[in-house]
């Protein structure tokens, strides 16, 4: 099974200079060769399917690197959920998102769904971990009703060791730790336990993604060896950028990735206000009809447990002011949206996250990297996916205009000429 995408501009997803006039050969689901069109691979073996890339831009398929699929099938009867979630994964693919990382909450379904996604090019590839650690009564155990299942509550380093003995680390894509020291949120996972978990994961070659609430959590998690910090912090003083400055320096030195989930703070802060929906319409994330559907939903305007709108507003504004500072300090930013409560589709939440990075002042090539190569790096798969490079999984989006000049062709689906999933053209 081969395919040639001819005469296209290649954006490799690592922030490298785009290369115009390339032929991209795909074989057995991987990028097999990338070379100038003039060398004529498009005229090699007769009968090979050719996708005309002339005037187009080929970039890696996008990644949603932080979501919880449980939110999308929760109201359905159990037997219908699997098929529904496969449809959700197909929906991601239709909007150019070829990989999705679930960060926990659905132990009864996610391993089976992950296996099914890997076998089916018509849906986005799912990465999952149901290895989720938190403190005693820690987030989300007492915050989200019914989500105690699959979450390991740890009160000491010994507790962590006991749980780790019962886990088969080979079977998880990564580990998620809740290291949340927000007052009133139950106990924080003890730092000594976090260190034990990280050491065990690294020994098994797995990444540890650490949810934080405060700058203090973030600092300690980085020192403990976290691979990626999930969420931007609640600042000590919203007017003082020096806390972010210090954290950015620390993360850059340690090589820790950062997934700030600003689209979540924006939704929780402003989602109940009509101005927010108007802004999404102006920004091409939402249509008028989509806005009507959102406001008609029974959950619309409901507060999110333990995340007051005012606090999320502070968190959002601080993250938007300090994202360029993290970028300029060479912290590797990763795009992940976390929730899609006030969004027309789960995929749109990721596109909003990317758009917010750009609005904050992060250059588009870095925004594209945050949703492609950096996301693959977050889960330790950068050698085999997340880039347009020889040997990588052939997941890609073909656009009719340049997303490095301006991200808008990624947002406005009319600019998407094709989506390629494991070498198969799935939308054209
Ligand atoms: Zn989350």
């Amino acid at each position: 099974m081969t395919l040639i995408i001819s005469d296209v501009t290649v954006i490799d997803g690592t922030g490298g200079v785009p290369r115009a006039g390339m032929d991209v050969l795909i074989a057995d689901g991987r990028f097999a060769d990338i070379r100038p069109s003039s060398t004529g691979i498009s005229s090699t073996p007769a009968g090979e399917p050719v996708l005309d890339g002339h005037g187009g831009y080929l970039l890696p398929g996008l990644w949603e690197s932080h979501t919880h699929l449980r939110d999308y099938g929760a109201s359905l009867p159990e037997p219908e959920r699997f098929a529904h979630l496969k449809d959700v994964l197909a929906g991601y693919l239709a909007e150019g998102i070829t990989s999705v990382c679930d960060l926990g909450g659905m132990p009864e379904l996610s391993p089976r769904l992950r296996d099914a996604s890997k076998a089916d090019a018509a849906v986005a590839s799912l990465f999952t971990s149901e290895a989720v650690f938190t403190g005693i009564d820690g987030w989300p155990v007492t915050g989200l009703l019914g989500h105690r299942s699959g979450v390991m509550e740890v009160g000491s380093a010994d507790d962590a060791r006991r749980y780790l003995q019962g886990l088969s680390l080979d079977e998880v894509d990564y580990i998620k730790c809740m290291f949340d020291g927000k007052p009133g949120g139950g106990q924080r996972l003890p730092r000594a336990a976090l260190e034990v978990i990280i050491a065990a994961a690294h020994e098994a070659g797995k990444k540890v993604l650490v949810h934080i609430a405060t700058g203090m959590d973030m600092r300690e998690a980085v020192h403990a060896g976290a691979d990626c910090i999930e969420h931007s912090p609640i600042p000590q003083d919203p007017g003082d950028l020096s806390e972010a400055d210090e954290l950015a320096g620390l993360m850059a030195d340690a090589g820790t990735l950062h997934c700030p989930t600003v689209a979540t703070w924006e939704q929780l802060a402003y989602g109940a206000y009509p101005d927010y929906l108007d802004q999404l319409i102006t920004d091409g994330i939402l249509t008028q009809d989509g806005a009507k559907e959102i406001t008609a939903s029974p959950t619309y305007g409901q507060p999110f447990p333990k995340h007051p709108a005012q606090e999320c507003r502070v968190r959002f504004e601080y993250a938007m002011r300090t994202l360029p500072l993290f970028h300029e300090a060479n912290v590797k930013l990763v795009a992940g949206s976390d929730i899609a409560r006030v969004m027309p589709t789960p995929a749109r939440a990721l596109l909003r996250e990317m758009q917010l990075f750009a609005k904050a002042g992060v250059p588009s090539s870095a925004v594209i990297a945050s949703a492609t190569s950096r996301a693959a790096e977050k889960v330790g798969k950068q050698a085999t996916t997340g880039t347009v490079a020889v040997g990588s999984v052939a997941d890609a989006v073909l656009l009719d205009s340049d997303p490095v000049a301006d991200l808008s062709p990624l947002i406005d689906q009319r600019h998407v000429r094709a989506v390629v999933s494991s070498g198969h053209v799935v939308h054209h």
Side-chain angles (χ1 to χ4, degrees):
M1 160 73 216
T2 57
L3 169 73
I4 290 163
I5 304 170
S6 65
D7 194 16
V8 75
T9 297
V10 172
I11 296 163
D12 69 7
T14 69
V17 179
R19 287 169 293 164
M22 306 304 282
D23 282 350
V24 176
L25 176 69
I26 294 167
D28 301 321
R30 305 245 170 192
F31 295 113
D33 199 5
I34 300 166
R35 59 168 110 154
S37 298
S38 57
T39 56
I41 70 169
S42 30
S43 60
T44 44
E48 283 187 323
V50 176
L51 181 60
D52 182 9
H54 182 72
Y57 296 79
L58 190 76
L59 68 155
L62 303 178
W63 287 57
E64 167 56 272
S65 87
H66 184 144
T67 191
H68 301 274
L69 293 178
R70 64 167 186 240
D71 293 349
Y72 310 125
S75 59
L76 292 173
E78 162 67 36
E80 292 170 31
R81 291 178 69 203
F82 184 81
H84 174 73
L85 291 171
K86 261 193 96 174
D87 287 348
V88 169
L89 291 174
Y92 275 112
L93 203 57
E95 298 198 58
I97 296 163
T98 53
S99 300
V100 173
C101 301
D102 188 286
L103 267 68
M106 208 177 49
E108 68 290 358
L109 269 185
S110 70
R112 189 155 62 96
L113 196 59
R114 173 182 63 183
D115 294 345
S117 79
K118 298 277 156 71
D120 188 350
V123 305
S125 295
L126 181 62
F127 296 82
T128 64
S129 179
E130 293 305 336
V132 179
F133 293 87
T134 191
I136 306 294
D137 289 334
W139 178 261
V141 171
T142 48
L144 297 173
L145 215 64
H147 289 132
R148 197 176 274 269
S149 68
V151 179
M152 291 168 274
E153 290 173 70
V154 170
S156 68
D158 279 343
D159 277 359
R161 287 189 193 96
R162 217 167 12 253
Y163 275 122
L164 285 162
Q165 274 169 7
L167 271 181
S168 177
L169 288 181
D170 290 343
E171 286 164 25
V172 305
D173 286 322
Y174 38 77
I175 284 181
K176 171 88 178 288
C177 288
M178 304 293 179
F179 193 61
D180 189 318
K182 203 166 113 177
Q187 287 178 31
R188 193 175 75 168
L189 180 68
R191 169 149 171 199
L194 180 64
E195 288 173 359
V196 164
I197 295 163
I198 290 173
H202 287 175
E203 196 168 323
K206 305 292 173 171
K207 301 289 184 186
V208 183
L209 317 179
V210 182
H211 157 119
I212 58 91
T214 66
M216 180 65 83
D217 298 338
M218 202 157 162
R219 198 172 292 119
E220 287 190 49
V222 173
H223 284 307
D227 295 295
C228 185
I229 298 295
E230 304 296 321
H231 311 307
S232 65
I234 303 162
Q236 255 179 353
D237 171 0
D240 178 8
L241 302 190
S242 68
E243 186 184 18
D245 212 15
E246 177 239 319
L247 290 166
L250 184 71
M251 292 176 80
D253 287 347
T256 318
L257 285 88
H258 185 31
C259 180
T261 71
V262 277
T264 277
W265 310 138
E266 187 188 37
Q267 289 172 79
L268 297 182
Y270 300 109
Y273 298 95
D275 285 1
Y276 164 79
L277 294 174
D278 289 345
Q279 188 64 52
L280 291 188
I281 293 168
T282 306
D283 290 343
I285 296 290
L286 187 61
T287 60
Q288 294 281 1
D289 287 349
K292 280 187 202 130
E293 264 178 53
I294 286 169
T295 51
S297 141
T299 57
Y300 179 70
Q302 298 284 320
F304 193 76
K306 304 209 174 191
H307 287 72
Q310 178 55 29
E311 178 192 277
C312 293
R313 186 173 177 163
V314 169
R315 216 164 170 174
F316 176 71
E317 301 298 345
Y318 194 75
M320 290 298 281
R321 283 177 69 197
T322 56
L323 269 179
L325 191 153
F326 279 89
H327 169 71
E328 279 151 29
N330 290 320
V331 175
K332 300 168 183 177
L333 295 172
V334 193
S337 68
D338 197 8
I339 64 167
R341 275 200 144 193
V342 199
M343 283 286 156
T345 64
R348 294 264 112 188
L350 186 266
L351 297 175
R352 181 61 171 172
E353 184 77 11
M354 294 176 71
Q355 197 175 52
L356 288 172
F357 280 19
K359 279 177 187 263
V362 178
S364 341
S365 66
V367 179
I368 291 169
S370 78
T372 57
S373 62
R374 295 299 192 213
E377 185 177 348
K378 168 169 159 175
V379 299
K381 310 277 188 208
Q382 70 275 20
T384 51
T385 183
T387 62
V388 178
V390 172
S392 264
V393 172
D395 287 343
V397 182
L398 179 63
L399 299 174
D400 72 3
S401 52
D402 184 2
V404 176
D406 173 350
L407 281 184
S408 60
L410 272 172
I411 312 293
D412 181 347
Q413 295 288 304
R414 287 171 299 188
H415 294 287
V416 177
R417 276 203 211 160
V419 178
V420 179
S421 166
S422 297
H424 298 267
V425 179
V426 285
H427 293 280
H428 188 209

